């Protein structure tokens, strides 16, 4: 009875918070749309591919899902403690244009895994739990609905669970850390099959871990910026050498799982400069000790309400701290085509892990990196769906943000719990998609989507704008991210340098020429979405393949 009363009281508080949030945010921007009421699985992991399909998956060992495998197929796994014979899917492919789903087959456990997209556009997912911890899985996109996961046994030298992947300039991916793994390795193992010890992960492992899913970004000098717990280093992964140690984040509170915050590499600009500035933004998380208090004593501490920002290429880098509009743990940070950062999902109290988060954050916040400090945040219209532990968000080519997931339970639980397993799929349309900006929105005429481009070339784009273009537009390139556990791996936005900008006579047609990135260190090879941005209003993107 006590437990039931606690759940009912928490539900009351959640409903009250939603009511109040909806009231105060009425005049805010952005729009939510429910795309599908049931996609069959909880979207714990998401990846947009260059055919405008999104691959999603959760895990195989917590019971049957709500979507069957096709053609009466079943997965037979005697080692599975829950479903030795399972005829349901734990991965799906979502078709953005058709708003439909297709079940996919994973044979082993993908729980809390990681991934990257190869330069050829195939998704490489690595690790997981139990029978999936040493495996890699390849999904090569197709348009006729016949492609599926292909699993590679013993692809990894160490078990990788809660690890981070990042695509490298040579097209391989590095896999860093994971529970109990203080090392990194590469996939595929064509040049170096071994494992490299990484003491930084030992140094950042506290009594709650707080260093899982380390925030990792490829810096413009070719080294990796790696943030774990409350501090960061710059790693020359080719020599296993730490080339720079950054000061600890002010306050010293952890930002990685399970005290889960999020992070982005802010848009890269002036790409022709000899030294390109790079800034990292880390937001949210939970105060030190939050996980233990929630797990052992059911005490749910208020989440962190700060962001910290650092210029990682400065000679003497220092963190600057900003206050968010609200506390947020387990939130996602998504780079939008115009360079703004969307903070979305998560809770206000507690930490990540099963049943340990409280008070959902329904309101997305927009961060404007170019505005003066303390004037960068804008609160947007709220959702009505709690997105707690195991939620995800990814940017789509049309500028919307796809939002799914939330399952803070060991199994699929739909009743008798504070936050039921969530199967609904939503899209959030940022303010720039509102009708009032239609006259400013560019429409790219050429090149066509799926164009191949080279490094160090002039890229010509023609576009139309119904209204008047007052000045030069921006052209941005965005790499689609692999998102799970509040971190979007491989997320990267580049503002391409202008060469020329012209209007074609008195028409509404324009032409802009920009310079593509000069090397794979600035932009690893692969598929990117390219947008034209006019007065902060982006076009729909086109896909390009950079090689």
């Amino acid at each position: 009875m006590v437990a039931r009363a606690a759940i009912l009281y928490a539900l009351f508080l959640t409903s009250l918070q939603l009511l109040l949030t909806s009231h105060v945010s009425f005049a805010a921007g952005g729009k939510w749309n429910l795309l599908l009421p049931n996609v069959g699985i909880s979207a714990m992991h998401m990846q947009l591919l260059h055919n405008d399909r999104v691959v999603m998956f959760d895990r195989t060992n917590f019971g049957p899902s709500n979507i069957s495998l096709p053609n009466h197929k079943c997965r037979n796994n005697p080692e599975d403690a829950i479903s030795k014979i399972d005829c349901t899917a734990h991965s799906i492919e979502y078709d953005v244009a058709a708003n439909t789903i297709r079940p996919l087959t994973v044979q082993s456990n993908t729980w809390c895994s990681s991934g990257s997209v190869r330069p050829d556009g195939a998704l490489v997912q690595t690790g997981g739990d139990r029978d999936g911890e040493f495996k890699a899985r390849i999904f090569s996109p197709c348009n006729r609905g016949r492609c599926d996961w292909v699993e590679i046994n013993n692809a990894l030298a160490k078990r990788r669970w809660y690890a981070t992947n990042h695509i490298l300039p040579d097209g391989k991916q590095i896999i860093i850390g994971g529970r109990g793994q203080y090392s990194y390795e590469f996939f595929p193992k064509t040049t170096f099959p071994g494992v490299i010890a990484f003491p930084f992960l030992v140094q950042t492992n506290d009594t709650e871990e707080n260093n899982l899913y380390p925030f990792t970004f490829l810096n413009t000098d070719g080294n990796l910026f790696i943030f774990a717990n409350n501090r960061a280093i710059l790693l020359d992964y080719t020599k296993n050498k730490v080339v720079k140690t950054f000061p600890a984040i002010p306050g010293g509170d952890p930002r990685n799982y399970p005290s889960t915050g999020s992070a982005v590499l802010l848009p890269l600009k002036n790409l022709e400069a000899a030294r390109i500035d790079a800034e990292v933004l880390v937001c949210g998380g939970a105060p030190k000790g939050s996980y233990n208090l929630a797990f052992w004593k059911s005490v749910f501490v208020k989440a962190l309400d700060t962001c910290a920002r650092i210029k990682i290429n400065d000679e003497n880098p220092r963190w600057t701290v900003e206050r968010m509009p609200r506390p947020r743990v387990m939130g996602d940070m998504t780079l939008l085509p115009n360079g703004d950062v969307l903070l979305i999902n998560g809770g206000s109290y507690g930490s990540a892990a099963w049943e340990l988060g409280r008070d959902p954050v329904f309101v997305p916040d927009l961060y404007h990196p170019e505005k003066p400090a303390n004037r960068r945040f804008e609160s947007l219209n709220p959702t009505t769906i709690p997105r707690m532990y195991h939620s995800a968000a990814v940017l789509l080519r049309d500028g919307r943000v796809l939002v799914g997931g939330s399952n803070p339970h060991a199994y699929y639980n739909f009743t008798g719990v504070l936050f039921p397993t969530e199967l609904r799929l939503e899209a959030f349309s940022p303010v720039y998609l509102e009708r009032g900006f239609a006259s400013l929105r560019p429409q790219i005429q050429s090149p066509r989507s799926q164009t191949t481009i080279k490094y160090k070339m002039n890229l010509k784009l023609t576009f139309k704008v119904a209204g008047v273009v007052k000045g030069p537009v921006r052209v941005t390139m965005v790499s689609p991210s692999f998102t799970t556990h509040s971190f979007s791996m491989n997320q990267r936005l580049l503002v391409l340098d202008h060469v020329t900008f012209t209007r074609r006579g008195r028409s509404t047609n324009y032409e802009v020429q920009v310079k593509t990135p000069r090397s794979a260190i600035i932009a690893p090879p692969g598929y990117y979405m390219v947008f034209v941005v006019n007065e902060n209003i982006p076009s729909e993107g086109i896909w390009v393949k950079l090689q």
Side-chain angles (χ1 to χ4, degrees):
M1 290 296 293
V2 173
R4 179 176 176 79
I7 289 176
L8 290 173
Y9 180 65
L11 285 170
F12 166 75
L13 289 178
T14 297
S15 300
L16 181 62
Q17 182 193 22
L18 176 58
L19 181 63
L20 294 174
T21 298
S22 297
H23 175 71
V24 301
S25 299
F26 180 76
K31 180 181 178 183
W32 289 90
N33 292 102
L34 179 65
L35 300 176
L36 292 171
N38 185 344
V39 296
I41 68 166
S42 187
M44 185 187 304
H45 313 77
M46 282 190 184
Q47 174 71 61
L48 172 68
L49 300 174
H50 67 272
N51 61 350
D52 291 320
R53 267 71 159 184
V54 180
V55 173
M56 310 176 199
F57 53 93
D58 48 24
R59 53 184 282 211
T60 59
N61 68 339
F62 62 169
S65 73
N66 276 28
I67 183 170
S68 297
L69 288 168
N71 304 318
H72 307 289
K73 289 195 299 185
C74 297
R75 184 179 66 92
N76 188 348
N77 186 351
E79 304 300 320
D80 195 313
I82 306 301
S83 302
K84 291 179 171 49
I85 298 178
D86 188 354
C87 302
T88 63
H90 296 279
S91 177
I92 61 169
E93 180 190 59
Y94 172 67
D95 186 325
V96 175
N99 195 35
T100 57
I101 57 173
R102 180 173 71 91
L104 304 174
T105 306
V106 285
Q107 297 291 345
S108 57
N109 196 358
T110 52
W111 182 28
C112 301
S113 56
S114 49
S116 297
V117 174
R118 287 189 321 212
D120 67 356
L123 170 59
V124 178
Q125 179 275 337
T126 56
D129 188 29
R130 299 183 184 274
D131 64 338
E133 57 193 12
F134 289 96
K135 293 193 176 185
R137 302 162 189 86
I138 313 295
F139 184 88
S140 299
C142 63
N143 292 322
R144 296 188 178 182
R146 296 175 184 173
C147 43
D148 211 335
W149 288 103
V150 175
E151 303 208 357
I152 303 173
N153 294 325
N154 300 313
L156 305 176
K158 294 288 185 179
R159 68 189 296 260
R160 299 294 174 183
W161 190 33
Y162 297 92
T164 293
N165 292 25
H166 202 298
I167 195 74
L168 298 173
D170 63 0
K172 294 200 298 289
Q173 57 184 286
I174 189 171
I175 308 161
I176 303 170
R179 177 158 286 167
Q181 303 301 328
Y182 310 110
S183 62
Y184 59 88
E185 60 182 290
F186 302 93
F187 183 87
K189 301 193 173 301
T190 52
T191 54
F192 188 86
V195 173
I196 300 173
F198 192 25
F200 175 68
L201 293 180
V202 178
Q203 299 158 10
T204 53
N205 183 27
D206 61 24
T207 59
E208 300 174 320
E209 296 179 304
N210 285 327
N211 67 345
L212 300 179
Y213 283 120
F215 304 145
T216 303
F217 304 105
L218 178 65
N219 191 19
T220 54
D221 62 2
N223 297 311
L224 291 175
F225 175 91
I226 302 175
F227 182 101
N229 197 313
N230 58 12
R231 46 204 166 114
I233 60 168
L234 202 60
L235 175 71
D236 181 343
Y237 62 88
T238 65
K239 299 176 181 177
N240 193 27
K241 180 181 179 181
V242 175
V243 297
K244 184 183 288 188
T245 299
F246 297 91
I249 203 166
D253 285 314
R255 307 283 180 150
N256 294 85
Y257 182 91
S259 298
T260 302
S262 190
V264 293
L265 177 68
L266 291 175
L268 297 174
K269 301 174 293 183
N270 301 318
L271 303 184
E272 293 298 299
R275 193 193 74 173
I276 302 170
D277 287 335
E279 285 189 86
V280 170
L281 179 70
V282 180
C283 291
K288 192 179 301 182
S290 295
Y291 172 81
N292 282 337
L293 284 170
F295 184 83
W296 295 107
K297 298 183 178 181
S298 295
V299 173
F300 303 100
V301 178
K302 183 179 178 181
L304 298 175
D305 64 355
T306 56
C307 293
R309 181 168 167 173
I310 191 168
K311 294 183 177 181
I312 64 177
N313 289 332
D314 278 5
E315 290 185 9
N316 187 29
R318 289 288 181 265
W319 294 97
T320 58
V321 178
E322 302 174 73
R323 188 79 59 187
M324 295 191 293
R326 68 203 85 252
R328 194 184 296 263
V329 62
M330 299 178 289
D332 287 281
M333 295 174 69
T334 303
L335 287 169
L336 300 180
N338 62 2
D340 290 340
V341 183
L342 183 70
L343 287 79
I344 201 167
N345 300 338
S348 304
Y349 289 82
S351 80
W354 290 333
E355 321 289 350
L356 299 187
R358 293 294 184 272
D359 289 1
V361 180
F362 295 100
V363 177
D365 292 310
L366 194 62
Y367 181 85
H368 303 279
E370 301 299 321
K371 288 189 175 182
N374 302 317
R375 294 174 55 191
R376 291 174 174 149
F377 282 101
E378 175 186 357
S379 296
L380 305 175
N381 277 325
T383 181
T384 59
I385 300 176
R387 298 290 184 181
M388 300 295 280
Y389 185 45
H390 290 150
S391 299
V394 295
L395 175 70
L396 300 177
R397 186 171 59 86
D398 59 18
R400 293 177 300 162
V401 176
L402 190 69
V403 181
S406 188
N407 185 23
H409 316 295
Y411 308 101
Y412 290 110
N413 293 114
F414 300 102
T415 58
V417 291
L418 182 56
F419 303 114
T421 301
E422 187 55 69
L423 305 182
R424 286 174 288 182
L425 189 67
E426 293 177 286
F428 178 71
S429 298
V431 178
Y432 54 62
L433 291 175
E434 293 179 358
R435 289 183 180 178
F437 298 112
S439 64
L440 297 175
R441 188 168 300 118
Q443 296 178 332
I444 298 176
Q445 305 295 301
S446 68
R448 293 183 177 181
S449 210
Q450 307 296 335
T451 294
T452 297
I453 62 175
K454 303 288 186 181
Y455 290 98
K456 296 190 295 186
M457 67 173 277
N458 286 354
L459 174 64
K460 182 190 298 184
L461 297 105
T462 59
F463 61 95
K464 296 175 65 174
V465 177
V468 177
V469 178
K470 295 181 180 179
V473 296
R474 287 180 292 149
V475 177
T476 60
M477 275 178 55
V478 184
S479 59
S481 63
F482 180 96
T483 302
T484 188
H485 289 75
S486 301
F487 183 51
S488 294
M489 303 175 197
N490 305 293
Q491 186 172 219
R492 198 174 191 86
L493 187 150
L494 304 100
V495 181
L496 301 184
D497 288 331
H498 269 231
V499 178
T500 61
F501 171 71
T502 56
R503 181 179 182 180
R504 294 185 168 182
R506 296 184 179 180
S507 71
T508 58
N509 295 326
Y510 298 84
E511 178 182 295
V512 60
Q513 286 193 53
V514 290
K515 197 81 170 179
T516 61
R518 64 181 182 232
S519 75
I521 290 174
I522 309 302
Y527 283 90
Y528 290 78
M529 295 175 281
V530 170
F531 301 86
V532 174
V533 182
N534 175 38
E535 295 188 41
N536 225 33
I537 307 299
S539 67
E540 182 173 284
I542 61 169
W543 286 106
V544 299
K545 184 179 182 182
L546 178 62
Q547 64 180 30

